[in-house]
């Protein structure tokens, strides 16, 4: 995600009002690699600004997504959509036990789809989600403790 000031500038160019709440959302997300949910973002903003509304957080996340600053990662678990502050093409690892979500380090090539499989679609981007058990959960299974 771009810096807070770059996002403020882009919002202003689009005619959006820059409120202290929006600025706080930008600051919290800038450099965040935790793939938070909207509710987690709301809780973080609310701890600093108790008067922030969920509507402000959800609308700001939607606007950031439309601008290409955030990428929504579908409903992976019961907590809802997770937001990725790295909108560039990359893949993810998802722990099916604790719901941890991490970027795949390095470059992993996505498979090419044959024309008959694409069914006429023009592919613009792809993402692979690898599902498994993270090292911490594996250690709990074996009783080995944290890594």
């Amino acid at each position: 995600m771009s810096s807070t000031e770059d996002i403020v500038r882009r919002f202003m160019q689009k005619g959006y009002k820059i409120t202290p709440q929006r600025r706080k959302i930008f600051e919290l997300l800038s450099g965040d690699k935790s793939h938070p949910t909207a509710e987690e973002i709301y809780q973080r903003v609310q701890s600093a600004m108790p008067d922030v509304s969920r509507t402000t957080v959800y609308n700001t996340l939607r606007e950031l997504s439309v601008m290409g600053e955030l990428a929504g990662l579908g409903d992976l678990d019961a907590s809802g959509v997770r937001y990725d502050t790295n909108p560039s093409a990359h893949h993810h690892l998802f722990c099916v036990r604790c719901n941890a979500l991490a970027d795949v380090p390095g470059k992993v090539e996505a498979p090419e789809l044959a024309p008959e499989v694409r069914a006429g679609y023009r592919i613009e981007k792809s993402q692979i989600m690898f599902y498994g058990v993270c090292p911490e959960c594996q250690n709990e299974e074996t009783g080995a403790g944290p890594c």
Side-chain angles (χ1 to χ4, degrees):
M1 193 164 124
S2 300
S3 72
T4 299
E5 292 311 313
D6 286 342
I7 294 170
V8 166
R9 196 170 15 266
R10 288 187 63 202
F11 259 63
M12 289 172 61
Q13 288 170 348
K14 292 195 171 282
Y16 295 137
K17 186 176 175 185
I18 303 300
T19 63
Q21 292 85 354
R22 277 191 167 159
R23 184 177 285 277
K24 189 64 172 176
I25 294 166
F26 302 157
E27 289 170 1
L28 287 171
L29 289 174
S30 185
D32 185 333
K33 300 199 183 318
S34 70
H35 304 91
T37 64
E39 185 62 24
E40 289 169 340
I41 296 164
Y42 169 72
Q43 294 296 328
R44 292 176 195 171
V45 175
Q46 189 185 43
S47 70
M49 305 180 101
D51 60 335
V52 70
S53 71
R54 276 187 174 82
T55 301
T56 296
V57 172
Y58 280 77
N59 287 342
T60 302
L61 293 175
R62 186 188 73 250
E63 291 156 356
L64 286 167
S65 295
V66 168
M67 291 171 58
E69 291 291 336
L70 288 179
L73 302 173
D75 290 328
L76 299 171
D77 54 38
S79 62
V81 174
R82 310 271 287 267
Y83 289 92
D84 194 341
T85 58
N86 176 3
S88 68
H90 65 283
H91 308 298
H92 294 91
L93 299 160
F94 180 74
C95 179
V96 296
R97 297 247 167 74
C98 71
N99 300 330
L101 182 62
D103 292 340
V104 172
K107 185 154 177 72
V108 175
E109 293 296 326
E112 285 294 320
L113 296 178
E116 63 273 10
V117 175
R118 288 194 313 247
Y121 278 72
R122 181 185 71 237
I123 306 301
E124 295 182 357
K125 67 179 185 173
S126 65
Q127 175 184 283
I128 298 172
M129 183 71 66
F130 295 93
Y131 296 85
V133 180
C134 72
E136 290 81 11
C137 288
Q138 291 177 52
N139 286 336
E140 286 179 17
E141 289 173 354
T142 63
C147 295

